[in-house]
Amino acid sequence: MVRRLSSSYMLRAWAVIFHDINYTLLTTVFFIALSLIYSFTLIRFDVAFPYLGNYYIIYSIIYSLALSWALSLSIVIGIYGYKHRMRPIGVRISAIASIVGIMPSLCCSTAIPMLISALGGSLLAITAGGKIMGLIAQWDPVIMALALALAYYSLYISSRGLCLCSIVR
């Protein structure tokens, strides 16, 4: 039995999804919304500025477009599978990738201290909040690469699940 390449799974899944205009529009809406959210938050909080200098805006836009493309396709493939009563595959990985993708912008915001103070009190927020934000800021590129890897792995898993089901074959 010959194994198919991952790109053939993805191309075949894209052909199935983009064949229907409703799923094409849904993919477009998800892509635009996610790319705007990621671009705004990454540029607003100067993510990767210490590493890239003035080029961080270009890097943030390219990163947000790549992450949004994979996540929007993976989400729409999951919706397609759910509508056709298939077992959704890759949805949890998409959710994790979207959360990890927004983490670099949390290093300079008040979200982490507010969350810590809500969970454990103000003393814990004062002592641990700065350490967590410093850790996120220090490992910014690694966290962003991890989010991209998770997003494209989610896309691969959901595309493979769609291509191996009896509806598409």
Side-chain angles (χ1 to χ4, degrees):
M1 181 174 179
V2 178
R3 290 186 65 185
R4 294 183 181 185
L5 296 173
S6 63
S7 62
S8 66
Y9 286 135
M10 289 185 205
L11 292 176
R12 193 167 173 198
W14 293 348
V16 169
I17 294 299
F18 291 133
H19 183 69
D20 189 358
I21 190 70
N22 294 328
Y23 291 110
T24 304
L25 289 174
L26 190 61
T27 305
T28 306
V29 167
F30 275 127
F31 175 70
I32 291 171
L34 288 172
S35 62
L36 286 175
I37 289 169
Y38 284 127
S39 294
F40 175 75
T41 55
L42 294 175
I43 292 171
R44 167 70 175 91
F45 293 111
D46 298 335
V47 173
F49 181 72
Y51 303 108
L52 300 172
N54 293 331
Y55 296 109
Y56 81 95
I57 294 176
I58 297 169
Y59 174 76
S60 298
I61 291 172
I62 291 171
Y63 169 78
S64 64
L65 291 176
L67 187 64
S68 301
W69 175 251
L71 288 177
S72 62
L73 278 174
S74 182
I75 291 168
V76 171
I77 289 171
I79 292 171
Y80 181 87
Y82 180 74
K83 185 167 181 163
H84 292 286
R85 299 182 190 268
M86 298 179 342
R87 192 176 122 224
I89 300 172
V91 175
R92 290 186 188 123
I93 299 172
S94 294
I96 292 170
S98 63
I99 292 169
V100 171
I102 207 74
M103 275 181 62
S105 64
L106 295 177
C107 74
C108 303
S109 71
T110 59
I112 291 177
M114 285 174 40
L115 181 67
I116 292 173
S117 66
L119 295 176
S122 60
L123 180 64
L124 184 63
I126 291 170
T127 57
K131 293 178 184 176
I132 293 172
M133 290 189 295
L135 185 70
I136 290 174
Q138 182 181 2
W139 292 97
D140 222 14
V142 175
I143 292 171
M144 294 173 97
L146 177 67
L148 274 177
L150 284 173
Y152 280 95
Y153 181 69
S154 167
L155 179 60
Y156 167 72
I157 293 293
S158 57
S159 298
R160 188 183 73 187
L162 180 67
C163 289
L164 295 179
C165 79
S166 60
I167 296 172
V168 177
R169 280 193 249 168

